[in-house]
Amino acid sequence: MQCEVTPFTDVGLMMGSMNVLKVALGVVLSRGNNVVDPGLVVFGPDEADFLGRHVQKVRALTDASARAVFSQGSGIPLLLDELLTAADTDFEISAKTLQDALAATMRGSTNASDCVFAVVLTGVGGSPGSEVTLLKLDAVVEAARMEFLSTGRVTLKVLKELLPEPGRLQKALSWPDPRAVSDAIAIDTNVTSARYFENAFNLHVSPKSTQAESELTKVLVEHVPANRIPDAFSAASALTGPMDEVLDELSEHGFPELAQPARDASADPRPAGVVRINKVAAMNIVWRADGAEVRVPPHLVAHVTVEQDENDGWRIILKTRTQPTRGT
């Protein structure tokens, strides 16, 4: 199904609710050693729709989305803010500054792949109410092909029949972020082993909420006595917020053994992921050995015993009120 594109103004095209105002495109090749400086390009409706879909994808936040904060003293937020109202020449200069920063960190990474770098201004034309999004697109972009212009710059030519989905989005940053606990919206398909995108823009990206909730579960099991684990999970399930703050709250209200894990989580330069209300109570606690797993809800933790047998093996004993049944 194709999205109908309607002309909006002389400076922008409306993509549903996404008004694409300005786009600067550049290219980074050979792990940052070969670049084409970004320049403003004039798009037709199909090309603007193609990039508008990417911006919509980046800014489509959920309650499980990662949050991101800039390093203290970073100049990136000011640069992004200036892009919201920059004249064309200044927009290109700032886009080059951002692409140069990305190319520099890509030169130190063995995982960095060639890309089309896009700086996209969307919104209503100037702050407030507009956003700037940095997109690192695969150099061989699905539904579009990169074309070099006689000016030495590049553009994208969209293949309209392939438009239902955005192209492969490797990494992205969008600013501002409407969430109070986050400076920017970030997407990174390989945040654990390839952080050159984060490093380029002085950004620290948190785990997603699902990861934060799993980590909180692990901390509770490792630090709270077994007979108090059900109470700890009950208290944690009523809380929401960054994991370090949740741990701090628990340590001050009945679980002092969590004070050190709270301090450790706060000291990590990577921000803690946001724990959602009522999610931790649904987490299972897992014992694993020799390919077997025993999963129990928090209220049954005290009923699990792990002991060594006389043949240097181990037993996992689970006490239940009802007779177990075997199934798949």
Side-chain angles (χ1 to χ4, degrees), residues 1-7 14-17 45-46 49 53 160:
M1 185 174 70
Q2 253 172 347
C3 173
E4 182 179 352
V5 178
T6 305
M14 182 65 80
M15 305 304 131
S17 60
D46 293 341
D49 178 62
R53 288 169 183 262
K160 188 174 181 180

Side-chain angles (χ1 to χ4, degrees), residues 12 36-37 92 105-106 117 134 157 171 187 219 231 244 271 282 285 319:
V36 176
D37 288 342
E92 288 187 336
T105 57
M106 286 174 65
F117 181 71
L134 315 182
K157 179 66 176 178
K171 302 174 189 289
I187 289 180
V219 170
D231 293 336
D244 56 337
I285 299 162
K319 182 180 178 181

Side-chain angles (χ1 to χ4, degrees), residues 98-147:
L98 292 165
Q99 181 175 286
D100 286 348
L102 177 61
T105 57
M106 286 174 65
R107 284 193 285 272
S109 172
T110 58
N111 295 314
S113 56
D114 296 346
C115 72
V116 173
F117 181 71
V119 181
V120 186
L121 179 66
T122 53
V124 295
S127 182
S130 52
E131 312 90 19
V132 61
T133 302
L134 315 182
L135 301 171
K136 183 180 185 288
L137 299 168
D138 196 290
V140 183
V141 188
E142 292 177 7
R145 61 175 180 262
M146 178 178 63
E147 291 186 350

Side-chain angles (χ1 to χ4, degrees), residues 28-260:
V28 185
L29 305 169
S30 305
R31 296 193 180 95
N33 292 296
N34 186 14
V35 300
V36 176
D37 288 342
L40 286 171
V41 292
V42 178
F43 276 176
D46 293 341
E47 288 74 26
D49 178 62
F50 176 76
L51 288 174
R53 288 169 183 262
H54 284 81
V55 175
Q56 286 178 321
K57 180 178 179 179
V58 175
R59 296 194 64 86
L61 292 167
T62 69
D63 62 353
S65 296
R67 64 190 184 108
V69 297
F70 290 107
S71 302
Q72 188 172 4
S74 171
I76 297 296
L78 178 60
L79 184 59
L80 295 173
D81 185 57
E82 291 172 346
L83 278 167
L84 297 178
T85 55
D88 289 356
T89 300
D90 292 332
F91 194 91
E92 288 187 336
I93 291 171
S94 295
K96 182 181 184 313
T97 298
L98 292 165
Q99 181 175 286
D100 286 348
L102 177 61
T105 57
M106 286 174 65
R107 284 193 285 272
S109 172
T110 58
N111 295 314
S113 56
D114 296 346
C115 72
V116 173
F117 181 71
V119 181
V120 186
L121 179 66
T122 53
V124 295
S127 182
S130 52
E131 312 90 19
V132 61
T133 302
L134 315 182
L135 301 171
K136 183 180 185 288
L137 299 168
D138 196 290
V140 183
V141 188
E142 292 177 7
R145 61 175 180 262
M146 178 178 63
E147 291 186 350
F148 286 91
L149 303 174
S150 59
T151 58
R153 300 291 176 80
V154 296
T155 189
L156 289 174
K157 179 66 176 178
V158 164
L159 308 178
K160 188 174 181 180
E161 64 273 15
L162 299 179
L163 270 181
E165 296 295 335
R168 285 176 288 184
L169 180 59
Q170 297 179 356
K171 302 174 189 289
L173 162 65
S174 191
W175 189 89
D177 191 332
R179 299 171 295 176
V181 296
S182 181
D183 295 339
I185 303 167
I187 289 180
D188 196 334
T189 57
N190 191 9
V191 71
T192 56
S193 60
R195 294 191 179 180
Y196 61 85
F197 188 83
E198 293 180 45
N199 294 336
F201 305 119
N202 311 139
L203 203 64
H204 300 290
V205 181
S206 78
K208 293 182 178 180
S209 288
T210 50
Q211 295 170 286
E213 289 147 6
S214 293
E215 181 62 22
L216 178 58
T217 297
K218 181 179 178 182
V219 170
L220 295 181
V221 171
E222 290 180 350
H223 291 85
V224 176
N227 64 329
R228 301 202 64 217
I229 283 179
D231 293 336
F233 272 82
S234 178
S237 68
L239 301 176
T240 184
M243 191 190 77
D244 56 337
E245 295 180 13
V246 169
L247 285 171
D248 190 56
E249 179 76 10
L250 290 169
S251 71
E252 292 180 357
H253 293 86
F255 302 93
E257 54 275 304
L258 297 175
Q260 186 59 52

Side-chain angles (χ1 to χ4, degrees), residues 258-302:
L258 297 175
Q260 186 59 52
R263 288 191 290 269
D264 293 342
S266 297
D268 191 336
R270 187 183 185 192
V274 175
V275 175
R276 297 166 293 175
I277 197 165
N278 290 330
K279 294 294 184 179
V280 176
M283 302 292 289
N284 283 323
I285 299 162
V286 184
W287 285 260
R288 293 185 177 92
D290 301 338
E293 289 187 349
V294 174
R295 293 175 172 267
V296 301
H299 70 274
L300 286 180
V301 168

